[in-house]
Amino acid sequence: MTAPTNLNDLLSEFSSPSLSPSLLQSLLHRLLSHPSIHNGFVDVLSLPSVQAALSNNPQRDVIVRTVELFGFGTIEEYYELKDAMWDLNDAQLDKLRMLSVVSIARRRIDGDLVIDGDVDMTADSLKAVSKDRKSRRANGKHRILSIPYSELISKLCIPADDIRKLEDLLIQCIYANLLSAKLDQHSKCLVVEPNATLVRDGNDGTKSKNSNSVEICGSILSRDLNISSTNATSQLPQMISRLETFLSHSEALLYTLEQFTLANATVRKNDAIRWKEVNRLLSESKSNAKFGALERAELENSGPAGERDRREVKRSKMQAAMMQRFS
């Protein structure tokens, strides 16, 4: 069987009505190892064919926990619950570390909006969260985000003295379009660029002239949402935060487009007035030129020279008439 090259190919195989438990495990290993698939893992579990293949599978819980780990978990959780999950190979571990970097950066951007455990979801608390975020946005505090190497090494379960491995992993994250950032080797930190925009270059993640590039709002790729957790409501502030960011970006874009529209309408109106004036001046110039030519001709014919010309013409006509008469 030919290995799928992108998410659509994998989903088509997952949707097969003849999906067996052994084939499901093989496909899931491909999914978790694919270098260009970084979200949508939970969606695979919700497919009817996958649910049917898992129904009588004794490894159901292990499979679900492993797939969900790639959906919204971290490498720390893997080592904490390793006995209840698949043994991951090196490629899958590196991929999980890359996804963990996304989660770490997202939590740092959200700041105090990432709350562990139960939270008070009253209207007053949500209003306070929104007010605090607007205040920090107005003060520009969200514009700078740097994550120390020491924090990343600890949370990514990388040996403390292996800075090279950490930097290689972060470079892979950047080139894979998981986040827009740069390495500050002098300060030993990862600097995320909140105002940048990620661009995905097609279903397989490759850059191709024929692929349909998709522009993503934000500088960090969104991971799957954990909707089955008992503390799922704790993610509501994050969703509100991201929707507020999306709304503010949309409003700014809409305002810019409206300004361009008004400016273009003003330019068109001024151009129409200008061309109308130009046409009027051209008509006046043509009329003046024609009138001037007639006036000059009349003046030339009304002067002494003009009188002599008329007498000469008259004399020539009389002479010609006499010659015809006597010939």
Side-chain angles (χ1 to χ4, degrees), residues 148-321:
Y149 280 1
S150 57
E151 178 181 347
L152 292 170
I153 283 180
S154 174
K155 293 184 177 181
L156 297 178
C157 302
I158 296 176
D161 58 344
D162 200 348
I163 301 295
R164 177 62 181 273
K165 182 176 181 178
L166 173 64
E167 291 184 337
D168 289 343
L169 181 72
L170 296 178
I171 291 173
Q172 290 181 42
C173 292
I174 295 171
Y175 278 99
N177 265 329
L178 296 186
L179 73 168
S180 179
K182 58 184 178 180
L183 305 184
D184 187 345
Q185 294 180 317
H186 177 72
S187 301
K188 295 188 181 303
C189 64
L190 175 70
V191 180
V192 181
E193 303 172 354
N195 294 327
T197 300
L198 297 178
V199 176
R200 309 292 291 179
D201 297 288
N203 294 328
D204 57 356
T206 59
K207 295 182 180 298
S208 172
K209 294 181 180 180
N210 298 325
S211 63
N212 296 323
S213 61
V214 179
E215 188 170 303
I216 303 174
C217 179
S219 60
I220 300 178
L221 187 69
S222 295
R223 299 189 64 188
D224 295 348
L225 181 63
N226 183 9
I227 59 176
S228 61
S229 172
T230 56
N231 295 325
T233 53
S234 65
Q235 300 187 34
L236 184 57
Q238 300 180 45
M239 297 176 64
I240 293 174
S241 167
R242 295 170 191 177
L243 289 174
E244 285 181 349
T245 302
F246 175 78
L247 178 61
S248 63
H249 288 177
S250 300
E251 289 176 344
L253 177 60
L254 179 60
Y255 175 78
T256 302
L257 293 175
E258 289 176 347
Q259 294 301 311
F260 274 118
T261 301
L262 292 175
N264 289 334
T266 303
V267 170
R268 287 196 300 269
K269 183 178 180 180
N270 293 336
D271 284 344
I273 295 174
R274 188 179 302 111
W275 279 111
K276 186 177 180 180
E277 180 66 16
V278 168
N279 290 331
R280 186 185 65 81
L281 293 175
L282 286 174
S283 298
E284 290 183 356
S285 298
K286 290 179 180 179
S287 299
N288 293 336
K290 184 176 180 180
F291 178 77
L294 294 174
E295 191 176 44
R296 285 194 301 273
E298 184 178 352
L299 290 174
E300 290 176 355
N301 293 332
S302 62
E307 184 66 25
R308 287 194 299 271
D309 291 340
R310 284 194 295 273
R311 287 198 297 267
E312 290 293 336
V313 171
K314 187 176 181 180
R315 186 181 303 111
S316 298
K317 288 181 178 180
M318 291 177 64
Q319 291 177 356

Side-chain angles (χ1 to χ4, degrees), residues 14 18-29 49-50 52-60 63 86:
F14 279 116
S18 60
L19 185 64
S20 63
S22 59
L23 178 58
L24 174 62
Q25 292 193 35
S26 175
L27 292 176
L28 286 175
H29 273 293
S49 55
V50 175
L54 289 174
S55 59
N56 298 322
N57 193 328
Q59 296 292 318
R60 173 186 173 87
I63 294 173
W86 277 344

Side-chain angles (χ1 to χ4, degrees), residues 65-188:
R65 277 194 293 266
T66 303
V67 175
E68 289 182 344
L69 179 69
F70 280 79
F72 42 76
T74 63
I75 190 71
E76 283 184 308
E77 296 173 13
Y78 169 71
Y79 284 113
E80 291 173 1
L81 306 172
K82 187 175 181 181
D83 294 337
M85 299 184 186
W86 277 344
D87 289 331
L88 303 181
N89 56 38
D90 291 341
Q92 292 169 342
L93 287 173
D94 286 342
K95 181 175 179 177
L96 185 56
R97 285 190 174 93
M98 293 169 65
L99 295 173
S100 300
V101 172
V102 174
S103 295
I104 294 170
R106 174 59 63 188
R107 292 193 181 102
R108 289 296 296 269
I109 283 184
D110 292 340
D112 59 333
L113 296 182
V114 178
I115 306 172
D116 295 329
D118 296 332
V119 294
D120 180 15
M121 297 309 298
T122 63
D124 292 338
S125 65
L126 290 177
K127 188 181 294 183
V129 166
S130 177
K131 182 178 180 181
D132 177 71
R133 183 164 183 82
K134 289 179 181 179
S135 175
R136 290 189 290 113
R137 185 160 52 224
N139 295 331
K141 294 182 179 180
H142 71 296
R143 296 301 178 186
I144 299 177
L145 174 63
S146 61
I147 308 175
Y149 280 1
S150 57
E151 178 181 347
L152 292 170
I153 283 180
S154 174
K155 293 184 177 181
L156 297 178
C157 302
I158 296 176
D161 58 344
D162 200 348
I163 301 295
R164 177 62 181 273
K165 182 176 181 178
L166 173 64
E167 291 184 337
D168 289 343
L169 181 72
L170 296 178
I171 291 173
Q172 290 181 42
C173 292
I174 295 171
Y175 278 99
N177 265 329
L178 296 186
L179 73 168
S180 179
K182 58 184 178 180
L183 305 184
D184 187 345
Q185 294 180 317
H186 177 72
S187 301
K188 295 188 181 303

Side-chain angles (χ1 to χ4, degrees), residues 4-12 14 31 34 36-37 39-41 44 203-204:
T5 58
N6 56 40
L7 183 57
N8 290 335
D9 292 338
L10 277 175
L11 286 178
S12 65
F14 279 116
L31 180 71
H34 200 290
S36 300
I37 300 175
N39 51 19
F41 303 102
V44 172
N203 294 328
D204 57 356

